[in-house]
Amino acid sequence: MLKLAIQKSGRLHEDSMKLLKECGIAISNGANKLKTEATNFPLQVFFLRDDDIPQYVEDAVADIGIVGENVVYEKNKSVKTVEQLGFGGCRLSIAVVRGEQYNNIQSLEGRRIATSYPHLTKQFLKKNKVNAEIHEISGSVEIAPGIGLSDAICDLVSSGSTLLTNGLKEVETILQSQAVLIRHNNFNAAQQQVLDKLLFRIHAVRKAKNNKYILLNAPNDKLDEIIGLLPGMKSPTVLPLADKGWSSVHSVLSEDEFWDKIEQLKAAGAQGILVVPIEKMVM
């Protein structure tokens, strides 16, 4: 049985639960429930505050945890990052009052910075040889300049709309962050075996999200050109159609190159292009 810690509530909770569901792991999370077990996988789930997850994992109370990289680096616990999970993307940034002149990092010399991330903020300032006064606060960091508590803030930014609403502008990025899977440093063989099974499922889910399954009709005299555009996992599948001189071509395209390839396929003579989402992709 592997013990997994995830956020009890907050921005990573829903995506963590969704990932487990997509991995085929059935979890019952009733109201105010702090611990539960999967019904079809050797996994026990703890629902914790995100700030506490690295400590629980370091102490091996939980074997693994899903938490933001920003929390992992801020808490600075002895844990190992196993996998980046591709959701919960954000950045830890310094912001100042909009309209205030800001030339470079040296503009923060002697200023007051409010943050919930004092460790990372101090590291960044030290690296850039800037002396500033750190005010550690929890929650509503963005209002600190407006009430006179600080001259700047260091906080998580996603879209930037919260900064805009509070009259702030982003000037420095300290860290790019996303959700990661972490583990403690004393794994035994049985725990690693279960973790490998979980990672196998996670990889299949993530690979599927980054790819699209496409079907198209191609004139046979254009097949070589079209196949050259569609490498697929190995090579495209080609099946003859009832209409002579035409074939059906099936393949997989990555999300990054999808639209460029579709344009090239149409230009090469492909017709009736269908795009189908992939639920799982096992390599």
Side-chain angles (χ1 to χ4, degrees), residues 108-120:
L108 297 174
E109 182 70 29
R111 310 306 293 275
R112 299 167 299 161
I113 304 175
T115 184
S116 300
Y117 297 89
H119 176 70
L120 288 171

Side-chain angles (χ1 to χ4, degrees), residues 126-143:
K126 183 178 179 180
K127 178 183 176 182
N128 288 279
K129 299 179 180 179
V130 172
N131 292 310
E133 183 180 337
I134 304 297
H135 288 265
E136 182 179 355
I137 59 176
S138 58
S140 302
V141 175
E142 62 277 356
I143 70 169

